[in-house]
Amino acid sequence: MQRILLSIAALAASVLAVSCGGSGGGASNASNSTGAGSQFQQIAQCNASQPQSLLPVPTTGNQVPAMVDFGPCAYGVMPGSAAGTAPTLFIVGSVNAPFTSVTICVPGSTTCQTIDHVLVDTGSYGLRVMSSVLNANMVLPAISSTDTGGGPLIECVQFADGYSWGSVRGADVRMAGEVATGISPVGGIPIQVIGDASAYTVPSTCTSTTPGGTTLTALNDVIAFGANAVLGVGFFNQDCGTGCTTQLSNFYYRCPTTNGCTESRAALNQQLTNPVYAFSTDNQGVVLTMPPLADGTGTVNPQGTLVFGVNTNTNNAASSTAGLNVYQASSQGNFFSTLTGSTGYTVSTTTTYSNSFIDSGSNALYLPGTTIPSDPTAGWFIPTSPSTIIQVSATQQGSNALGTAGIGHTNSLTFDVANVNTVFKFNTVNITDTAYNGLAAPASTGSISTGGVDWGMPFFYGKSIYAVLENQTQVVNAVPATGPFWAF
């Protein structure tokens, strides 16, 4: 069945445009030149000085660090700048975005590059890299459509706040001691290189939610995307699955001519592949652990860990871990959430949102059906009554509520929603914090992100959240369960 990717919701709204100093010429896009004064080198030097980039990149073991910092550097016009503003070098200023580093290689070779500020995203599947960050020697082999007429295989991926367009290519993907390879027909695993297919006209089925529907924002560069790459480590082995092997969809396109891109089928070994699924070991899922944050406050550069595998090591043990409960996900990766109350404002207490999901790629909690006021420009919630920090209560329940004991476990919780202008001071110039507990906004309407609570990055603070892949059976707190499921 085709899956809709619901991730990086409203990351563009959090771009803060922190000055990085230095500027190149007048071009609006960085060149992958190796010259001493090139924009590409300036960006690389700027990135190398950022906190996440300074973390060690392990080459052994089964875990990598994940840090919430201000994100990567970029060259261009700062978002929100006046018309005619000259391009400059700056830090994109993402908030509540967990980043790690990933090494990619030309398949079967030692030609490799480590990419920093890769967004860790439990709401998507597969690795997507911005073409502008790749070194000139990273010539990754293209995957072609096998449909009649052929042409390069190009993917459109629709996120909650936009779309990305780029070719499907083969690459070996390395993280810690794990290597993902051996899947793609050209070697390595299929990944997407975003922004490298600009010569091919993007079909309207990619740029809008439905034919004639809402036009989505293009997220084809670092500035718009807020990351150098996104690492999709969610539930599924491929980003579309068996449905795309036999049916045309708005995921994959064949482009025999620049103006002739049409929907294409894609075999499983051509589809973007979750790197964890392709590991030879530690391939059952992931555990994302983040430190706690005080209620309704921010902090600078909190560091957590992304652990590969489930029940393969002491750092991912789930079988006898007391307190862990299983929340089964549907074939679309969703589960049930109900907002049960709020201090000062009303919520739809009788509505159970069956399309809810847990997503580290969303930088806030996105809530449907509330009367909490929001900022008319940025969209964040701005409660004022009875205080600038209010509490909302909710329940979460696995989609298989009537299944094996523990599979349909119900979790009751309360969480903070803070006023971004008075608590987080988003209406000021000097924002120093990179992570916020209590950042929330209304769930988007009229888009692909309808009908659910998006439990974004604030939900991860102070927890270890397991995401177990489809068809993987694991014991959690003495209860066997088969993925896809969360455990926390």
Side-chain angles (χ1 to χ4, degrees), residues 119-197:
L119 179 69
V120 177
D121 187 9
T122 62
S124 68
Y125 328 100
L127 178 65
R128 296 174 169 85
V129 180
M130 293 295 155
S131 61
S132 62
V133 307
L134 293 177
N135 294 333
N137 65 342
M138 291 301 298
V139 182
L140 302 174
I143 296 175
S144 297
S145 171
T146 53
D147 273 5
T148 302
L153 191 65
I154 297 177
E155 185 180 38
C156 169
V157 53
Q158 290 185 344
F159 294 101
D161 60 340
Y163 75 92
S164 290
W165 174 255
S167 67
V168 182
R169 297 177 177 270
D172 292 339
V173 177
R174 303 173 184 271
M175 288 173 283
E178 317 284 358
V179 180
T181 190
I183 299 290
S184 159
V186 297
I189 65 170
I191 71 168
Q192 184 187 30
V193 179
I194 295 174
D196 71 337

Side-chain angles (χ1 to χ4, degrees), residues 37-247:
S38 72
Q39 295 162 22
F40 185 75
Q41 186 179 55
Q42 291 178 49
I43 293 170
Q45 291 172 344
C46 177
N47 276 331
S49 67
Q50 300 314 304
Q52 186 271 313
S53 305
L54 297 175
L55 295 176
V57 179
T59 57
T60 60
N62 69 326
Q63 69 178 45
V64 293
M67 175 179 281
V68 179
D69 72 1
F70 274 137
C73 303
Y75 185 87
V77 177
M78 289 186 181
S81 299
T85 300
T88 187
L89 185 66
F90 61 96
I91 305 168
V92 297
S94 298
V95 298
N96 274 354
F99 295 109
T100 192
S101 293
V102 175
T103 300
I104 63 172
C105 304
V106 175
S109 79
T110 57
T111 302
C112 302
Q113 179 182 351
T114 298
I115 300 169
D116 60 82
H117 288 99
V118 178
L119 179 69
V120 177
D121 187 9
T122 62
S124 68
Y125 328 100
L127 178 65
R128 296 174 169 85
V129 180
M130 293 295 155
S131 61
S132 62
V133 307
L134 293 177
N135 294 333
N137 65 342
M138 291 301 298
V139 182
L140 302 174
I143 296 175
S144 297
S145 171
T146 53
D147 273 5
T148 302
L153 191 65
I154 297 177
E155 185 180 38
C156 169
V157 53
Q158 290 185 344
F159 294 101
D161 60 340
Y163 75 92
S164 290
W165 174 255
S167 67
V168 182
R169 297 177 177 270
D172 292 339
V173 177
R174 303 173 184 271
M175 288 173 283
E178 317 284 358
V179 180
T181 190
I183 299 290
S184 159
V186 297
I189 65 170
I191 71 168
Q192 184 187 30
V193 179
I194 295 174
D196 71 337
S198 58
Y200 297 93
T201 302
V202 186
S204 60
T205 49
C206 172
T207 60
S208 61
T209 54
T210 58
T214 303
T215 300
L216 298 171
T217 301
L219 304 175
N220 292 324
D221 57 46
V222 174
I223 296 173
F225 205 89
N228 288 332
V230 57
L231 174 66
V233 289
F235 293 136
F236 299 111
N237 302 335
Q238 298 86 22
D239 67 348
C240 187
T242 56
C244 281
T245 65
T246 57
Q247 301 173 16

